[in-house]
Structures are given as C-alpha cells and as structure tokens.
Amino acid sequence: MLRVENLSKSYGDERVLRDVSFEMDRGDVEVVVGPSGSGKSTLLRCVNRLTEYDSGDIYLDGDSTTGPDADVNQLRRDVGMVFQDFNLFAHLTARKNITLGLRRVKGLSKEEARSAADEHLEMVGLAAQADSYPAELSGGQKQRVGIARALAMEPKLMLFDEPTSALDPELIGEVVGVMEKLVERGMTMLVVTHEMGFARSAASTVTFLEDGNIVERGPPEQLFESPEQARTGEFLGRLD
Ligand code: ATP
Ligand code: MG
C-alpha cells in the first residue's frame, strides 16, 4: 500500500535521507527508530508531502504521490499525521479541532462533521471533553484529540511522529493504549517512537535509520533479539 523507492533529500550540503527504500502492506505497523537527526521526521514528512524530496518516488496504492497526476489534497486525506507537539488549534474546542477539516476538506455538513467528531472522541475516550479547549486538557488528552482528528478523516495510512515524546511518563500509557487499539483494528501505521514496548509488541517491522540510511529492517524479534548489524544492537540496547 506504501512503497518508498530510493528516497533522497538534502538540506543544503547535508544529506538527510539517502536512497531510502521500503514497502508496507495494508495493516502493517512499521516502527522507525534512530538517533536524533537521523531523518525520521523528514521521512514521514516526505510521505505526506509536508516536505518535498530531491529524488526517488513514493507510491500510495500504486499511484505516485508526486507524479503529474498526483493530488496533494487527496494525499492529505489519505494519510493522517499525528505530531509530537499535538498541533491543535488553541482557539478551538476539541470537537471543533476535528470538525474543521471534516467540513473544509471533506465537505461534510455541520451535523455529519459533529457526529463523526463525537464518534472519534469517544473512540479515544474523550467523549466528555468535546467542548474543552486544548489549554484545559492534559498532554495525553491533547494527543488523543490529535489522533481522533487524524482518524476522523478516515485515512488509509496513519503517520505518528514521536506521539508520546512530549508527555509526562504517567500520560504515555493512555496514548499508547489508543495506538494499540488502532493496531487491533487493522490500521496501517508508520510510527516513529522511542516506546520500545510498543515496537516489540505491535510492530510488524522495525526500521533502524541512521544518518539517513536504513541500517537494518526486519521483524521486531530480529532487531531486538538477534540484530544482523552491530550498530542496531548498540542503539537498541541503549534504549531498551
Ligand atoms: P529527532 O529524533 O531529533 O526528531 P529526526 O530523526 O526526526 O530527529 P529530522 O528532523 O528528520 O531528524 O532531521 C534530519 C536532519 O535534517 C537534521 O540534521 C536536521 O537538522 C535537518 N533538518 C530537518 N529539517 C530541516 C529544515 N527544515 N531545514 C534545514 N535542516 C533541516
Ligand atoms: Mg523527529
């Protein structure tokens, strides 16, 4: 469903992604790990074209996301993104944060958007917070609104960029719990995270990225128990 082919990206003289290639099937959960600055966020941002890349190609369900027929608005509907710092609109309630895109991008009526928003708030356990503003929510609640907002667009693929890194430790579990629920429902997910428990239990594949290169990619048992590359063991051993 997602195919990344020889993706390369530089900022000035710095090569941030070097010939990155991998494929995901529907329902796969791909976890990307790697040191700070290794290109993880850039990779995710290339997938939904928040960042344009220099060479290579990305295909979603067989269609190039950058070819002449590519439609960036359709891509943003098909690919939901959850950010480390939530990116909620501070002046809008939780519900309005969700209905905004449903009305503007999906063209839903007010009633349809409201009912979809409430359904997704309920799914992330926030039915009672629909009228709260972000400032009135905890970090974990804000992030769950962020997830509900992305899900309400009914994407084919969800991108998560360190969704728990800004949270106090005691709030991480509630967000990971929602992500696990999505895994159970068969959502296709590309996840950058330091939550190794999630990677071990939920990932179909773990990719270790360093200096813009895929050092090793395989099932979690391989990367955690018997990595083929010494660097993988060093890096994951430190985190685990
Ligand atoms: P972290 O774990 O700290 O989030 P990361 O793996 O997500 O790191 P990226 O954010 O993808 O890393 O950044 C990779 C490299 O690209 C870094 O050296 C970063 O400074 C550089 N970079 C990222 N975005 C830009 C930008 N907009 N302009 C210039 N350089 C950038
Ligand atoms: Mg990052």
Side-chain angles (χ1 to χ4, degrees):
M1 78 113 34
L2 179 73
R3 186 152 51 93
V4 174
E5 257 181 30
N6 302 112
L7 184 68
S8 292
K9 165 79 185 171
S10 298
Y11 285 112
D13 291 341
E14 191 193 358
R15 292 193 68 192
V16 175
L17 294 173
R18 305 166 190 248
D19 272 330
V20 170
S21 300
F22 67 95
E23 251 181 89
M24 291 173 66
D25 288 329
R26 196 167 301 283
D28 279 355
V29 179
E30 174 96 25
V31 170
V32 180
V33 298
S36 182
S38 57
K40 306 180 298 293
S41 297
T42 305
L43 171 62
L44 258 53
R45 295 170 62 86
C46 287
V47 170
N48 70 352
R49 291 186 62 183
L50 284 176
T51 295
E52 298 296 338
Y53 43 90
D54 302 330
S55 60
D57 215 337
I58 300 179
Y59 299 87
L60 189 67
D61 283 339
D63 297 324
S64 167
T65 60
T66 47
D69 298 330
D71 173 354
V72 74
N73 292 317
Q74 183 61 45
L75 180 70
R76 301 267 167 79
R77 282 199 286 275
D78 287 341
V79 181
M81 182 144 179
V82 174
F83 300 86
Q84 176 174 357
D85 52 4
F86 324 128
N87 277 16
L88 298 182
F89 301 107
H91 63 293
L92 299 179
T93 62
R95 181 189 289 119
K96 273 271 166 73
N97 261 280
I98 301 174
T99 56
L100 187 71
L102 294 175
R103 303 265 290 134
R104 286 203 188 154
V105 181
K106 277 199 128 185
L108 297 194
S109 72
K110 213 169 169 179
E111 294 70 33
E112 287 168 333
R114 187 185 164 103
S115 113
D118 286 359
E119 180 193 321
H120 286 89
L121 281 169
E122 164 125 41
M123 208 280 265
V124 300
L126 292 175
Q129 279 75 29
D131 295 313
S132 300
Y133 287 87
E136 300 165 334
L137 301 173
S138 72
Q141 290 174 326
K142 278 190 260 217
Q143 190 57 293
R144 286 186 282 147
V145 174
I147 295 173
R149 179 175 62 181
L151 287 176
M153 301 291 286
E154 301 185 312
K156 295 176 179 172
L157 168 68
M158 284 280 287
L159 309 176
F160 291 84
D161 192 0
E162 302 202 30
T164 59
S165 295
L167 301 178
D168 291 336
E170 70 271 20
L171 302 178
I172 290 176
E174 64 192 56
V175 170
V176 171
V178 169
M179 292 169 69
E180 286 168 346
K181 201 157 148 184
L182 292 182
V183 174
E184 273 167 35
R185 292 181 174 200
M187 177 59 77
T188 312
M189 297 161 62
L190 176 54
V191 183
V192 175
T193 186
H194 301 299
E195 287 305 309
M196 291 303 117
F198 177 82
R200 277 174 184 275
S201 66
S204 14
T205 310
V206 179
T207 290
F208 171 41
L209 195 66
E210 189 166 52
D211 295 333
N213 290 302
I214 295 183
V215 175
E216 185 164 353
R217 179 168 184 268
E221 308 80 65
Q222 174 190 325
L223 272 87
F224 288 108
E225 313 304 339
S226 49
E228 288 171 0
Q229 304 296 327
R231 265 305 289 151
T232 310
E234 277 167 35
F235 180 76
L236 289 176
R238 241 190 353 251
L239 281 188
D240 221 7

